[in-house]
C-alpha cells in the first residue's frame, strides 16, 4: 500500500525495518519535501546486551545518521515495552511525543515495509486524523517477489500474517 502525501513535512519510519528499507526511506526523504525523519520502534529482543542501542527507534535513527543524514533531521521516538499491539503502541507513542513537542504538523507519511504498511497507515490515521493528514509509503521487500508472492513461502506467510493482523486492527481491536 502506497498512498503518499506529496507535501508531507515529516517522514515517520518504523524502526524495525531492514537496512535496505532504511535506504529506501532515506531516498524518499531526500526526494520529498520533508524537514524531519522520526523513527519509532520498541525494544530489541536479541543482542540487547551487546548493543549501545536498546530499541529499534534508536538503531534506525543511528542508521540514518551513518548513511549521511544530518543529526538534527533525525529524531528517535522509542516505543515502551509491550507484548501485543506493537504497531499501535508505536503510533500512540508518536502521538504522545508529537503533543509534547513544538511541532505543528499538517501532514506526515508513514514509511513501513511491504504489506505491513497498510496496517501501520490505518493505526496512525486512527490516532492522528483529523488533525494531521496521514499518507503511507511501502518499502519494496527483498524477501520475495510481491507480484508472485504465492510462489514463495515467505510471501505466503507474510500475506496471511499481515491479512490476519490487519483484520484484527481494523475490526477486532477496540482501539483501532
Amino acid at each position: 500500500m502506497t498512498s503518499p502525501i506529496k507535501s508531507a513535512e515529516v517522514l515517520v519510519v518504523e524502526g524495525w525495518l531492514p537496512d535496505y528499507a532504511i535506504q529506501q526511506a532515506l531516498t524518499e526523504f531526500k526526494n520529498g519535501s520533508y524537514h524531519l525523519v522520526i523513527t519509532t520502534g520498541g525494544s530489541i529482543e536479541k543482542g540487547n546486551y551487546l548493543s549501545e542501542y536498546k530499541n529499534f527507534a534508536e538503531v534506525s535513527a543511528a542508521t540514518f545518521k551513518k548513511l549521511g543524514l544530518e543529526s538534527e533531521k533525525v529524531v528517535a521516538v522509542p516505543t515502551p515495552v509491550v507484548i501485543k499491539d506493537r504497531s499501535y503502541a508505536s503510533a500512540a507513542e508518536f502521538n504522545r511525543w508529537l503533543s509534547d513537542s513544538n511541532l505543528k504538523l499538517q501532514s506526515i507519511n508513514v514509511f513501513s515495509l511491504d504489506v505491513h504498511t497498510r496496517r501501520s497507515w490505518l493505526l496512525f490515521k486512527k490516532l492522528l486524523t483529523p488533525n494531521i493528514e496521514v499518507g503511507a509509503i511501502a518499502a519494496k521487500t527483498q524477501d520475495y517477489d510481491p507480484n508472485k508472492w504465492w510462489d514463495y513461502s515467505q510471501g505466503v506467510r507474510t500475506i496471511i500474517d499481515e491479512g490476519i493482523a490487519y483484520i484484527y486492527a481494523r475490526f477486532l481491536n477496540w482501539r483501532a
Side-chain angles (χ1 to χ4, degrees):
M1 181 79 225
T2 295
S3 181
I5 297 169
K6 294 193 188 297
S7 60
E9 305 150 276
V10 168
L11 185 64
V12 178
V13 178
E14 294 193 299
W16 58 267
L17 301 180
D19 288 344
Y20 69 83
I22 297 292
Q23 289 173 328
Q24 291 176 37
L26 180 59
T27 300
E28 170 63 26
F29 179 83
K30 288 178 177 179
N31 292 334
S33 60
Y34 306 103
H35 306 295
L36 198 60
V37 168
I38 298 178
T39 59
T40 63
S43 61
I44 297 172
E45 298 166 4
K46 183 173 181 174
N48 195 334
Y49 301 112
L50 305 174
S51 175
E52 65 183 285
Y53 308 108
K54 302 305 175 199
N55 57 68
F56 287 111
E58 293 172 356
V59 169
S60 59
T63 302
F64 276 109
K65 293 172 191 173
K66 186 73 172 176
L67 292 173
L69 192 60
E70 299 91 341
S71 294
E72 64 273 6
K73 293 185 178 180
V74 183
V75 175
V77 178
T79 306
V81 176
V82 294
I83 58 172
K84 66 179 240 126
D85 299 331
R86 291 183 306 269
S87 295
Y88 177 86
S90 287
E93 190 59 31
F94 171 77
N95 191 29
R96 275 191 287 279
W97 176 86
L98 189 58
S99 68
D100 292 340
S101 78
N102 292 327
L103 286 178
K104 304 296 181 220
L105 299 177
Q106 300 293 315
S107 59
I108 66 167
N109 280 327
V110 175
F111 194 97
S112 192
L113 182 63
D114 196 37
V115 294
H116 179 79
T117 306
R118 183 180 297 270
R119 180 162 42 115
S120 295
W121 187 33
L122 168 74
L123 297 170
F124 274 84
K125 282 183 4 180
K126 290 284 186 181
L127 287 164
L128 300 174
T129 304
N131 299 328
I132 298 172
E133 192 176 6
V134 180
I137 301 170
K140 292 180 179 22
T141 184
Q142 293 181 357
D143 294 335
Y144 58 89
D145 179 353
N147 296 318
K148 294 184 178 183
W149 58 266
W150 56 90
D151 282 344
Y152 302 83
S153 62
Q154 183 62 42
V156 171
R157 285 193 303 269
T158 299
I159 296 299
I160 291 171
D161 287 351
E162 286 298 330
I164 292 168
Y166 181 82
I167 291 168
Y168 171 77
R170 180 78 170 93
F171 300 110
L172 302 176
N173 185 352
W174 62 270
R175 294 186 285 197

